[in-house]
Amino acid sequence: MKESEKTVARIGMVSYLNTAPIHEKWKSTVQTDRWQLVEAPPATLNKKLAAGEIDMGFVSSYEYGRHSEKYKILSGLSISANGPVGSVFLFSHVPMSQLDKAPVLFSAQSETSVSLVKIILEEFQGVQPCYSTGDLQSPIDEKFKAVLAIGDDALRLAEKSTYLYEYDLADIWKHKTGLPFVFALCVVRDEFCTGQPEMLAEIHRHLLKCRDEGKKDLEEICALAAQRIPMSKKKCYQYLSGIEYDLGEQKRKALETFFDFLIKRGDIDKKALPLKIYANLQ
């Protein structure tokens, strides 16, 4: 019996709108019960991957950096933006420069975005706010001068925002570094790499195919996904047109730059670099 016939791969994927081109294509094309899809928010998938409860999946870039000794990055796959991303915002009542010692609320759903906003506030702006983490589904306490929201929460908040300032974090990063920003990676546990190479290569090929077909069929994807926010199909198309899913040379350089900041800040170990890329598609 071949390894691919006796092993079930547990694959984590976030069901946010920004993953829809890959996610929707995966759901409509995977016809084997050997590939089990596990859907959860980013922070939950991070924990599941670290605990060995899933074998691979789209997790935050920060999660790879924190536990790089356990993982490899699947080549050619990311959730990233080369400029405005449209779904990772710091909503603020005052300019960023006035947030020193001010109360700021973070979404608990993405450690990568939390790390990014801290770099922007502390390293780029030179301010040190007072951070709290909470659930953005509940009414937001008026004491907070600014709120970090990501994913579908950010899209919904942007639709009804009363904040004077809306800072797109990927856009600020681009202006400061000249690079794209990589929010999430498709990461696989090392033991699955070595133990199930044939199945991994097959899954990798299919994910790349979903990536390419999802971008090609973006209008069809938007017709399926826009209603979950809800937002118009036109706005959905504009938003998803700005999301990128590759991991080319510039994206890898951007990831290394982000990790350099995190290493200098003491947030992750220097062993996160160099990046460990899995690219065996044979």
Side-chain angles (χ1 to χ4, degrees):
M1 182 180 292
K2 295 181 180 179
E3 59 170 352
S4 59
E5 294 175 341
K6 61 186 179 183
T7 302
V8 173
R10 302 160 299 173
I11 304 159
M13 203 174 294
V14 179
S15 59
Y16 284 170
L17 183 60
N18 61 10
T19 65
I22 295 175
H23 187 215
E24 295 293 344
K25 282 294 177 182
W26 179 274
K27 290 192 297 182
S28 66
T29 58
V30 171
Q31 299 178 339
T32 173
D33 56 7
R34 296 183 288 114
W35 299 354
Q36 178 187 348
L37 186 64
V38 179
E39 298 176 282
T44 302
L45 291 180
N46 291 350
K47 292 174 184 175
K48 285 181 175 294
L49 190 68
E53 295 174 7
I54 57 176
D55 302 299
M56 70 187 77
F58 284 89
V59 297
S60 71
S61 298
Y62 184 91
E63 170 62 20
Y64 171 81
R66 180 171 55 185
H67 294 301
S68 60
E69 75 282 359
K70 297 181 178 181
Y71 308 139
K72 286 187 174 63
I73 300 167
L74 292 189
S75 64
L77 294 163
S78 74
I79 308 295
S80 51
N82 192 12
V85 65
S87 60
V88 182
F89 284 108
L90 183 72
F91 296 96
S92 183
H93 292 300
V94 298
M96 270 191 186
S97 59
Q98 297 179 20
L99 287 173
D100 194 45
K101 298 183 174 59
V104 174
L105 179 65
F106 290 161
S107 164
Q109 295 184 0
S110 173
E111 292 165 303
T112 296
S113 298
V114 167
S115 295
L116 175 58
V117 78
K118 285 182 177 180
I119 290 169
I120 288 171
L121 290 170
E122 298 172 24
E123 309 290 339
F124 298 166
Q125 288 290 325
V127 298
Q128 181 68 61
C130 298
Y131 304 123
S132 298
T133 301
D135 180 8
L136 301 192
Q137 301 289 345
S138 306
I140 298 170
D141 193 318
E142 293 183 1
K143 74 177 182 182
F144 292 107
K145 290 293 185 183
V147 176
L148 169 68
I150 70 160
D152 294 358
D153 284 343
L155 292 170
R156 294 186 186 102
L157 198 53
E159 287 286 311
K160 57 181 182 180
S161 174
T162 59
Y163 292 88
L164 290 176
Y165 301 90
E166 297 180 5
Y167 296 106
D168 188 305
L169 301 188
D171 194 32
I172 295 173
W173 173 267
K174 173 72 174 181
H175 280 293
K176 289 292 186 178
T177 67
L179 294 166
F181 191 80
V182 180
F183 288 96
L185 298 161
C186 193
V187 171
V188 58
R189 289 179 62 87
D190 276 339
E191 59 262 35
F192 195 85
C193 279
T194 56
Q196 306 297 333
E198 291 178 14
M199 179 182 279
L200 179 58
E202 188 181 359
I203 292 169
H204 191 189
R205 282 192 294 268
H206 195 76
L207 283 167
L208 292 170
K209 183 179 179 183
C210 289
R211 177 201 66 186
D212 294 341
E213 291 184 354
K215 288 297 280 187
K216 183 182 67 175
D217 297 335
L218 201 54
E219 288 194 10
E220 172 191 322
I221 297 295
C222 289
L224 292 170
Q227 56 193 334
R228 76 170 64 147
I229 299 300
M231 67 194 308
S232 69
K233 181 180 173 182
K234 181 180 178 181
K235 278 192 175 183
C236 182
Y237 187 87
Q238 291 172 341
Y239 166 62
L240 287 179
S241 294
I243 306 293
E244 299 180 354
Y245 301 95
D246 68 298
L247 192 60
E249 182 179 349
Q250 278 292 94
K251 301 286 174 63
R252 293 194 296 272
K253 183 178 178 182
L255 196 58
E256 290 165 352
T257 301
F258 179 51
F259 285 172
D260 277 335
F261 273 109
L262 296 180
I263 290 166
K264 289 172 185 175
R265 290 168 55 84
D267 294 337
I268 63 173
D269 194 274
K270 63 182 179 181
K271 64 190 175 186
L273 294 175
L275 302 175
K276 293 158 53 185
I277 307 289
Y278 170 91
N280 180 14
L281 296 178
Q282 297 179 359

